Amino acid sequence: MKADFSIERAPILEGVAHGFFGSASGAHQFGYGGPGAAEDVRALRAAAAQAIAPGARLVAPHQEHTPDVITVGEVRGEVWGDVWDDTPEGRPVADALVTASQGLALGVVTADCAPVLLADVEAGVIGAAHAGWRGAKEGVLPSTVGAMELMGADRSRIVAAIGPTIAQQSYEVDAPFRERFTPEDDRHFAAAPARDGLARWRFDLPGYVAAQLERADIWAVHDLGRDTFASSERYHSYRRAALRGEPNYGRQIALIAL
C-alpha cells in the first residue's frame, strides 16, 4: 500500500528512524478502534512502518492507559520478548514498548494523549510510549526508561521527543480532575473561566509529560509543540470529536525503529 503520509520528525532524534504521522486532512486513520475497516487500518499501519524503516515489522500494543511496558526482540542473542502480529485482536496490553533489535518499528497510537519516542543511540536501544494523563501519572515514562536501561541504555544518554498532543489552551478540566494531582503539579494548571458556576482550569499535558521525564533523569527532551485539538486539518482529536458529538474518532501513529 502506498500513501502520501504527513510525517513530522524531531531534531533531537536526528539519525534515528522515526516519525509522527498525522491524519493528512483526515485521509489517514491508524487506530483499530477508529473508523474504517480493520484490513485497511492494518495496511496503512504497515505502510507507515515501511515509510520510516523499509523492511521493518510493526510492533504495537493494545493500549489501555496503563503504566505497563513490554520489551521485545533480542539482546546479544537472548530473546527478551516475542513479537506479535499487528491484528485488531490478540495484541498484548501495554502502553509502551522497548527494543534493541533492528528490523522492528515500535508504534503507539494517540488522539490527544502524548506519543513519546525515546532513544539511546550509542547503546542501540529505543522506546515508544503512549502517555495520557493516567499513564503518565501512574509512571509509564520512568517504567519505559527503566526497561531501556535493562537492555543496556544509559539514562544520561537517552533523548526523548514528545509528539502532537492536546495543548494546555485546549485542555479544560474540572475540580475532580485537578484533585487527582498533588500540589507539586500545580504549575501544570492555569486558571480558566468558570463554567456553569464551577471552577475550571487548563491542564498542560505535554508539560506534565516532560516533567515526568525529568523526574526520570531524562533532560534531553524536545516537544514538537503541536496541538491536536486545535489542528483539525492535521490531527485526530478525541476531545474535539466528543465536543462535536461525533460517534467515533481517529488516531495518529508514532513510530521509531533501529
Side-chain angles (χ1 to χ4, degrees), residues 8 12 14 44 48 64 66 78 89 101 110 119 124 127 131 137 148 178 189 192 200-201 206 224 228 236 252 256:
E8 295 176 277
I12 203 168
E14 184 178 359
L44 189 68
E64 291 189 353
T66 72
E78 180 183 354
E89 305 294 334
S101 293
T110 57
K137 188 174 184 298
M148 292 177 70
R178 185 169 183 177
F189 291 87
R200 309 290 287 188
W201 293 266
L224 263 63
T228 50
H236 299 290
Q252 34 273 347
I256 188 167

Side-chain angles (χ1 to χ4, degrees), residues 22-23 26 29 35 46 50 66 72 74 84 88 95 123 137-138 141 172 176 181 188-189 207 214 217 233 246:
S23 69
Q29 196 292 109
Q50 299 307 303
T66 72
V72 295
E74 299 183 2
W84 53 87
D95 284 82
K137 188 174 184 298
E138 293 299 319
L141 295 168
E172 183 182 301
F181 294 82
H188 303 298
F189 291 87
E214 291 172 2
D217 294 324
E233 291 301 310
E246 297 172 355

